[in-house]
């Protein structure tokens, strides 16, 4: 699960990338991994659109804790926090998380004069199908079907914002392992679908916020675009180096005609370096 966000600031990079960029891969998806714990610190930089469809982009540079916790029931690292509710040779039932960062509308051309967007978290169950694995080549393909409820947060106040699902295909490959070195490649292709409440929060324009260049608009639910991500991580001794790139497309989205969609294509990228201070395995 990518609680990515709130543990929010702590897992902000994971939330933004929504990828397995810095994740450790399991060589056997059907077998429970040995217990493992790692703790450290890191710093990363991420460049991304304010929200999907925004013309404006921002760059964040921030420190974060590096945490890896893996046992039979829980898998935590800087990319995700995943609870393993059920697992067999082909299927597993996990907890899946997602979300978006807050947006100051005064800094965003499309939303100027409208209410700000709060931090938004998503959580729910996810069915994972281990479609293919080559143990000799250390490559695997998973198909994932999540269903998440979306909740925005302003201080201690929470608001339900709808439902979202993002069926995705995840590809993981171990390029090299040996000694203190390991190199992993990851990619994911995701198709996003949201209900009307979720679309309304991000892409509707209420009549009181309409202008000559921003007409009133009621955003429908449905297809919400797709994304393609690639990432690489290099584990070298007590250091971990990572980088990712992600392309998001709103072409064909149910709300693509919203005046709040300034650009249908978005690009996010980032780099990070972490220093492992403590590790333990059983």
């Amino acid at each position: 699960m990518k609680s990515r966000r709130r543990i929010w600031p702590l897992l902000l990079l994971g939330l933004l990338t929504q990828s397995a960029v810095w994740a450790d891969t399991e060589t056997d998806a059907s077998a429970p991994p040995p217990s493992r714990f790692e703790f450290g610190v890191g710093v990363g930089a991420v460049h991304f659109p304010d929200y999907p469809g925004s013309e404006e982009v921002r760059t964040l540079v921030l420190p974060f804790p590096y945490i890896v916790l893996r046992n039979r029931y829980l898998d935590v690292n800087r990319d995700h926090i995943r609870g393993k509710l059920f697992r067999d040779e082909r299927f597993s039932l996990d907890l899946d998380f997602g979300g978006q960062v807050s947006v100051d509308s005064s800094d965003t051309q499309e939303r100027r004069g409208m209410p700000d967007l709060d931090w938004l978290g998503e959580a729910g169950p996810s069915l994972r199908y281990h479609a293919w694995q080559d143990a000799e080549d250390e490559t695997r393909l998973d198909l994932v079907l999540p269903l998440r409820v979306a909740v925005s947060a302003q201080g201690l106040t929470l608001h339900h914002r709808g439902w979202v699902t993002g069926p995705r295909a995840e590809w993981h490959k171990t390029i090299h392992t040996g000694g203190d070195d390991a190199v992993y490649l990851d990619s994911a292709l995701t198709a996003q679908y949201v209900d009307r409440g979720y679309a309304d929060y991000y892409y509707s324009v209420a009549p009181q916020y309409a202008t000559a260049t921003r007409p009133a608009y009621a955003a429908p639910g449905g297809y919400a675009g797709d994304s393609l991500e690639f990432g690489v991580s290099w584990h070298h001794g007590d250091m971990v180096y990572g980088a990712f790139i992600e392309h998001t497309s709103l072409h064909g989205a149910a709300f693509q005609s919203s005046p709040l969609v300034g650009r249908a294509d978005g690009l996010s990228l980032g780099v990070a370096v972490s220093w492992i201070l403590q590790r333990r395995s059983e």
Side-chain angles (χ1 to χ4, degrees):
M1 86 206 180
K2 280 181 146 185
S3 169
R4 340 157 167 239
R5 65 296 328 321
R6 291 121 231 225
I7 314 195
W8 301 359
L10 301 185
L11 296 179
L12 181 58
L13 291 178
L15 162 136
L16 295 174
T17 64
Q18 309 236 350
S19 69
V21 174
W22 295 289
D24 294 314
T25 57
E26 298 173 16
T27 57
D28 185 352
S30 64
S35 297
R36 176 182 171 190
F37 172 76
E38 294 180 357
F39 174 77
V41 295
V43 63
V46 183
H47 183 74
F48 62 101
D50 278 356
Y51 62 89
S54 171
E55 284 275 7
E56 277 72 27
V57 296
R58 71 174 92 173
T59 300
L60 292 181
V61 179
L62 70 165
F64 55 86
Y66 177 91
I67 300 173
V68 173
L69 173 61
R70 176 171 293 166
N71 57 39
R72 185 179 184 88
Y73 304 105
L74 191 64
D75 189 357
V76 178
N77 60 41
R78 191 161 50 77
D79 176 69
H80 65 250
I81 305 173
R82 199 169 81 212
K84 304 168 186 176
L85 304 180
F86 166 79
R87 184 187 194 108
D88 71 6
E89 184 176 349
R90 281 293 186 181
F91 291 92
S92 64
L93 184 61
D94 307 329
L95 296 177
D96 198 76
F97 284 67
Q100 300 287 346
V101 298
S102 60
V103 175
D104 186 341
S105 293
S106 63
D107 296 333
T108 304
Q109 176 181 328
E110 298 91 351
R111 297 189 58 86
R112 195 159 292 132
M114 296 183 63
D116 296 338
L117 295 173
D118 297 325
W119 287 92
L120 185 118
E122 305 165 11
S126 175
L127 181 63
R128 180 177 295 267
Y129 174 61
H130 310 294
W132 176 79
Q133 178 168 312
D134 186 335
E136 187 173 317
D137 195 34
E138 296 190 73
T139 304
R140 81 174 192 267
L141 176 68
D142 288 352
L143 304 179
V144 186
L145 180 61
L147 177 63
R148 303 186 297 266
V149 60
V151 177
S152 67
Q154 186 177 44
L156 298 178
T157 304
L158 302 179
H159 299 279
H160 176 250
R161 298 301 182 185
W163 297 85
V164 57
T165 182
R168 63 184 183 267
E170 296 180 355
W171 176 84
H172 308 276
K173 181 175 179 60
T174 301
I175 297 297
H176 166 75
T177 57
D180 292 334
D181 278 328
V183 179
Y184 304 107
L185 291 181
D186 303 274
S187 67
L189 177 62
T190 304
Q192 195 91 331
Y193 296 85
V194 301
D195 72 353
R196 184 173 180 177
Y198 191 104
D200 177 74
Y201 184 61
Y202 279 96
Y203 301 105
S204 284
V205 178
Q208 63 267 36
Y209 301 116
T211 67
T213 58
R214 186 176 63 204
Y217 180 81
Y223 178 63
D226 59 72
S227 64
L228 179 61
E229 329 161 15
F230 293 95
V232 59
S233 63
W234 174 33
H235 298 237
H236 180 66
D238 291 331
M239 304 300 295
V240 181
Y241 308 92
F244 82 92
I245 185 168
E246 176 188 20
H247 176 264
T248 301
S249 171
L250 297 185
H251 292 286
F255 47 77
Q256 185 182 351
S257 58
S258 168
L260 300 182
V261 176
R263 179 179 298 177
D265 294 285
L267 191 66
S268 303
L269 50 91
V271 294
V273 58
S274 306
W275 180 27
I276 301 173
L277 302 175
Q278 182 181 358
R279 54 161 53 103
R280 184 173 69 249
S281 61
E282 298 177 2

